Amino acid sequence: MSPNSHRGGRWAMLWALGQFGAQAAAALLSFYLVARAVGPASYADYVIGLAITALAQCFGLAIFREPVVQTRHIDALQLASMAKVSVLWSLMLAGVTSALTWVWFQFSAGSAVVQYVVFLLSTRLFLDGVTAVPLASKARTLDIKLQAIASMLGSAATVSVVYISVRANLGVVGLALGQLVGQFVQSSIALYFLKFDWLWSNRIDTDIVKVLGPKSISVVSWQLIDYVNGSLDRLFISARLPAAQIGVYGFGKRLNDIVFETIGGGLGMVCLPIFSRANEDAQLLREGFVRWIGHVAFFVVPLLGWLFVVADDLILLLFGASWLSAVDIYRVFLVLGVIQAFGVVQAALIRGMGKSGVWTKYLLTQAVGNVAVVFAFSGFTGFVLALAIVAKTYLIWGYSVLLVCRLLAMRVASYGRLVAGPIFAMLFSAALAWFVCAHWQKFQGLEFISISLVLYVAFYLTLSWFVNRRAMLAAFKSLRGKS
């Protein structure tokens, strides 16, 4: 790749991290405000509503966005055609989801709060679908500045609405309302600055729909399978566990998702177009994959390790004592986050190479294992279910490593060397920081969080210099734009 491509990728990554970082901050602040106002039992309504709309989301958003990013040659009329189809499809999807949820709850004893949450999040789904294709056309060239700025302003609007909603005692409904308003602000800004003559044009290129249709079907397939892996557990426990346990389980998992969506969203937004553009050059693909896996191992893995150390004090400080029961579940899902981060780069590589079917097969393998685990363990406590899901995922994850190494003609041992050093440095640094802070001076609360962070970073950088020096230097060179 050319130097300009590297600079473009670096700036795109910074904008992407800014966008998803703002979203994570908004989600964390919203969690803080709502968790202080409601307990685990009330939060269970949001968990169920989120699981329902996540199923609808499998048929929206990326099924138009991703094929546009992956397609090498596409003209303005074809983009306009896909954009109009996306708007109509998203409108239908939001309406059907809300209607089916209403009908379902007419014949069940479900909470009305869940219906409100589903309606608000479904409307948000429609708004996202309106701008999906225009923004994807920008992402094809790594031009994501507008999307990042719009998202940051939308995140600010989300927090503001959630704050007002909490003061008005709307509970978890305010959390969904904040997300809807934030998406409205984001979509409005994007549409204002984008050229959207496509919205008024009567011309539709039916051929492009036929061309991208198979890709959309492939995306739906792996997103449905991904739903089984990521949200089926919450849907199942809603019928088997008390509301308080549902809320605690959903809270611990969602808290981990905030970090993962920031990292994974930014990585996926940048890596997919990069790998798609280089999909005919095996050498470039291999070099790019090694580079991005090295960055994930050096930057992301230690963050998850530090969060594992401070989980008790962090949750107590931010959300209060009523949520301490979610600490163990949160820590279990942080362990899962390590391979989730690697999985984002692997998924971008496979899909960028046009091998979506290969990724679908891997996700299907995970889904079969996930269904078995959920059926077997959903009647147990949330902690036991979380442990079973993480153990299953690690066992099957090795299959994806074999797939990637086979596609890149890369030795598994070479992949292992990429991640072994950072993981060792993370584990040892976490143990040292926790031992010093917890047993030497007995620090607590914000004092523990602050001092452990300083010690952790110092330990990690020192150990990385000895066990992972090459990747460490490459990571810092990339930050300075000298890669």
Side-chain angles (χ1 to χ4, degrees):
M1 297 180 187
S2 67
N4 287 335
S5 297
H6 287 310
R7 283 195 291 270
R10 182 171 69 96
W11 280 110
M13 190 67 218
L14 291 176
W15 278 115
L17 288 177
Q19 171 186 340
F20 287 94
Q23 291 177 359
L28 193 59
L29 284 171
S30 299
F31 260 44
Y32 169 78
L33 294 169
V34 173
R36 291 282 180 173
V38 305
S42 297
Y43 185 72
D45 290 330
Y46 180 77
V47 172
I48 298 170
L50 191 64
I52 293 172
T53 50
L55 177 59
Q57 191 172 353
C58 296
F59 298 92
L61 308 180
I63 71 169
F64 297 104
R65 183 164 53 207
E66 186 161 319
V68 169
V69 173
Q70 288 178 322
T71 304
R72 295 180 66 84
H73 304 289
I74 187 169
D75 59 33
L77 176 59
Q78 292 169 334
L79 280 173
S81 302
M82 289 299 295
K84 281 183 281 191
V85 172
S86 176
V87 171
L88 294 174
W89 179 264
S90 300
L91 178 61
M92 183 194 70
L93 188 62
V96 169
T97 303
S98 298
L100 288 178
T101 302
W102 181 83
V103 171
W104 177 31
F105 277 95
Q106 296 307 304
F107 298 96
S108 68
S111 168
V113 174
V114 176
Q115 297 181 59
Y116 300 144
V117 169
V118 171
F119 174 75
L120 293 170
L121 294 181
S122 296
T123 307
R124 179 194 178 206
L125 186 68
F126 161 68
L127 292 175
D128 201 357
V130 171
T131 56
V133 173
L135 289 174
S137 68
K138 293 283 188 179
R140 285 165 54 84
T141 57
L142 295 178
D143 182 5
I144 60 174
K145 181 178 179 180
L146 173 61
Q147 180 174 342
I149 293 174
S151 179
M152 292 175 190
L153 294 174
S155 297
T158 295
V159 175
S160 301
V161 172
V162 171
Y163 175 76
I164 295 171
S165 300
V166 169
R167 297 294 297 269
N169 295 319
L170 294 181
V172 294
V173 173
L175 188 58
L177 180 62
Q179 293 180 55
L180 172 59
V181 173
Q183 186 61 55
F184 176 78
V185 170
Q186 179 179 339
S187 299
S188 299
I189 294 171
L191 287 175
Y192 180 81
F193 287 101
L194 288 169
K195 294 181 180 179
F196 54 99
D197 296 337
W198 52 268
L199 196 57
W200 320 117
S201 172
N202 292 323
R203 298 178 61 195
I204 294 182
D205 184 349
T206 55
D207 289 337
I208 191 61
V209 177
K210 294 177 182 177
V211 170
L212 298 186
K215 293 184 178 180
S216 295
I217 293 173
S218 177
V219 173
V220 170
S221 299
W222 68 256
Q223 286 196 149
L224 280 171
I225 298 169
D226 204 31
Y227 174 83
V228 172
N229 292 328
S231 299
L232 186 67
D233 52 347
R234 282 174 281 199
L235 208 56
F236 262 78
I237 64 173
S238 67
R240 297 194 176 192
L241 296 180
Q245 288 193 40
I246 297 170
V248 167
Y249 180 87
F251 184 87
K253 189 170 186 178
R254 181 61 189 151
L255 197 56
N256 173 64
D257 288 345
I258 290 175
V259 176
F260 174 69
E261 286 172 3
T262 303
I263 298 164
L267 282 172
M269 181 178 291
V270 175
C271 287
L272 180 60
I274 287 177
F275 291 140
S276 296
R277 291 192 315 192
N279 66 4
E280 295 179 357
D281 191 319
Q283 182 64 25
L284 283 179
L285 282 172
R286 187 159 46 247
E287 291 176 358
F289 179 77
V290 169
R291 181 189 308 277
W292 283 104
I293 284 292
H295 292 351
V296 168
F298 182 75
F299 289 116
V300 178
V301 168
L303 172 62
L304 299 175
W306 177 71
L307 289 173
F308 190 97
V309 171
V310 300
D312 297 86
D313 294 81
L314 188 65
I315 288 180
L316 179 61
L317 181 67
L318 292 179
F319 306 111
S322 62
W323 291 100
L324 279 176
S325 54
V327 169
D328 291 338
I329 294 174
Y330 175 50
R331 280 184 165 142
V332 170
F333 283 115
L334 281 173
V335 175
L336 179 63
V338 174
I339 59 171
Q340 282 181 310
F342 294 138
V344 171
V345 181
Q346 294 174 183
L349 171 75
I350 295 172
R351 300 204 304 270
M353 294 176 69
K355 305 288 186 181
S356 298
V358 175
W359 188 245
T360 300
K361 289 178 183 177
Y362 165 70
L363 289 177
L364 184 60
T365 305
Q366 284 282 12
V368 171
N370 204 61
V371 169
V373 166
V374 169
F375 268 104
F377 293 94
S378 58
F380 291 80
T381 64
F383 176 70
V384 172
L385 177 60
L387 276 178
I389 289 174
V390 172
K392 176 271 309 177
T393 306
Y394 265 87
L395 286 173
I396 302 177
W397 177 66
Y399 175 51
S400 72
V401 175
L402 292 175
L403 288 175
V404 167
C405 291
R406 190 179 304 154
L407 287 172
L408 295 177
M410 179 182 181
R411 297 178 61 186
V412 176
S414 299
Y415 185 105
R417 284 193 292 270
L418 287 174
V419 302
I423 290 178
F424 169 79
M426 177 270 289
L427 292 173
F428 209 74
S429 301
L432 287 173
W434 178 81
F435 178 80
V436 171
C437 290
H439 292 280
W440 185 29
Q441 294 290 342
K442 300 292 183 182
F443 298 116
Q444 293 182 347
L446 184 60
E447 188 179 43
F448 176 86
I449 293 172
S450 303
I451 294 176
S452 67
L453 176 61
V454 174
L455 290 174
Y456 183 84
V457 171
F459 291 147
Y460 182 76
L461 292 178
T462 302
L463 287 169
S464 296
W465 181 256
F466 293 102
V467 301
N468 194 41
R469 185 180 308 177
R470 182 177 298 178
M472 177 181 177
L473 294 176
F476 285 130
K477 283 181 181 179
S478 292
L479 285 178
R480 296 198 304 269
K482 297 181 179 180
S483 175

